[in-house]
Amino acid sequence: MAEIRASTVLPARREEITLHTADGLELVGELALPPDRPPVATLVCLHPLPTAEGMMDSHVLRKASYRLPALAGLAVLRFNTRGTTSARGTSQGEFGDGETERYDVAAALEYADYHDLPHPWLLGWSFGTELALKWGRDPLVEGLLLLSPPLRRADDADLDAWAADGRPVVALVPELDDFLRPAEARERFKRVPQAEVIGVDNAKHLWVGEPYVRIVLNEIVQRVNPAAVPLPTEWDEPGE
C-alpha cells in the first residue's frame, strides 16, 4: 500500500474535452471518469478567479480529478472559463467578471447532459462559487458545493433564489478565510434554509496542506456518494 500524497495520480479514464458556449467560444477542459465502472455522480468544477491565477488546475480541483474517480466513482469535469490559461491550454474569449461566464457554466452542464454524466453537482471554489450561485440553477444540477465563498458578486437576491429553489447548498468556509469567515457565512446563508455552512478549523482560503484537502474531498463525497466515505489515505499500487 502506498500513501496518497499531494502529487498522487490515481487511475482514471481521462479525456481532453472542448466546451462550446452559446456565444460562440471554445473552452478547453478535461473529463476524468472511473477507470473500471460508470460514474455514480458528477462534479462540474468552477475554478477560482482567473485574474488571480485561478484555473482548472487549481490544486483542490486537480486533486479531485486525480483521486475521486478511483476512490469514489465520480466523474470530474474541469475546464478553463473564458480567457483562462492552464497546462491544458487557453479558453477563447475574455474574462467577464462573472457575467458572461454564465455561458461557460451552461456549456459545461450541456456537455454533462449530452454525454449522460449522472447527477451533476456544481463544485465551485472562490470565484467559482459566485458562478455557481449566480448561474447554476439549471434543472440538471443536483446541488451546490461551495469552497471559500466570498459572497461578493453573488448577492442576497441570488441566495434568495436558491432558498426558493430548495436544492442542497453546502458551503465549506475556512476559519482563517481572507474574505468570509464561518460566523459571517452562517449569518449570510441564513437566507437559505437548506444551506449547510461547515467551518473548517485553521484552514485558509486556498486550502493549502494535505490535511485540508482531505477534509474538503471527504465533505464533497459525503454529499455526492456517501457510501464512499471515509476516503482511503492509501492505495494499492500495481505490482504490490
Side-chain angles (χ1 to χ4, degrees):
M1 299 284 282
E3 182 183 2
I4 296 172
R5 301 176 179 272
S7 59
T8 301
V9 182
L10 299 181
R13 292 174 285 146
R14 305 181 191 278
E15 176 186 356
E16 292 187 350
I17 64 173
T18 302
L19 308 181
H20 300 272
T21 69
D23 61 342
L25 300 181
E26 293 186 352
L27 312 178
V28 300
E30 182 202 79
L31 176 64
L33 297 168
D36 54 2
R37 52 183 161 152
V40 298
T42 304
L43 300 177
V44 176
C45 301
L46 303 173
H47 60 67
L49 191 66
T51 56
E53 301 185 355
M55 56 178 167
M56 63 179 274
D57 282 339
S58 293
H59 78 104
V60 175
L61 305 183
R62 185 180 71 246
K63 290 165 187 170
S65 77
Y66 285 175
R67 303 181 195 180
L68 298 186
L71 297 182
L74 302 184
V76 181
L77 191 162
R78 297 178 296 138
F79 68 99
N80 286 331
T81 57
R82 57 190 56 212
T84 302
T85 298
S86 71
R88 169 70 179 88
T90 300
S91 290
Q92 293 178 347
E94 298 178 352
F95 175 61
D97 199 29
E99 293 299 318
T100 50
E101 282 84 1
R102 73 181 70 185
Y103 301 116
D104 305 353
V105 176
L109 292 171
E110 182 179 73
Y111 183 96
D113 185 33
Y114 184 79
H115 290 85
D116 296 322
L117 298 177
H119 305 297
W121 288 69
L122 287 177
L123 170 60
W125 180 6
S126 193
F127 173 69
T129 69
E130 312 273 46
L131 301 186
L133 286 164
K134 290 175 71 66
W135 314 122
R137 290 189 309 279
D138 185 288
L140 291 172
V141 172
E142 298 273 335
L144 302 186
L145 301 159
L146 308 177
L147 311 181
S148 308
L151 291 184
R152 291 185 167 186
R153 293 170 179 84
D155 57 20
D156 287 347
D158 298 305
L159 296 178
D160 290 346
W162 280 100
D165 181 276
R167 279 176 284 182
V169 176
V170 180
L172 272 66
V173 181
E175 178 189 15
L176 305 177
D177 196 272
D178 300 312
F179 303 107
L180 187 75
R181 295 191 174 186
E184 185 185 355
R186 290 188 180 98
E187 188 63 31
R188 293 286 305 275
F189 277 102
K190 276 184 180 177
R191 309 178 74 94
V192 187
Q194 75 275 24
E196 286 184 81
V197 176
I198 301 165
V200 180
D201 292 347
N202 299 314
K204 297 182 180 180
H205 188 75
L206 297 180
W207 303 100
V208 173
E210 181 63 21
Y212 302 111
V213 172
R214 288 180 176 173
I215 289 170
V216 168
L217 296 184
N218 271 289
E219 292 288 354
I220 289 168
V221 175
Q222 177 65 51
R223 274 73 189 178
V224 177
N225 183 16
V229 293
L231 295 171
T233 59
E234 295 181 317
W235 180 258
D236 280 319
E237 292 189 335
E240 291 195 354

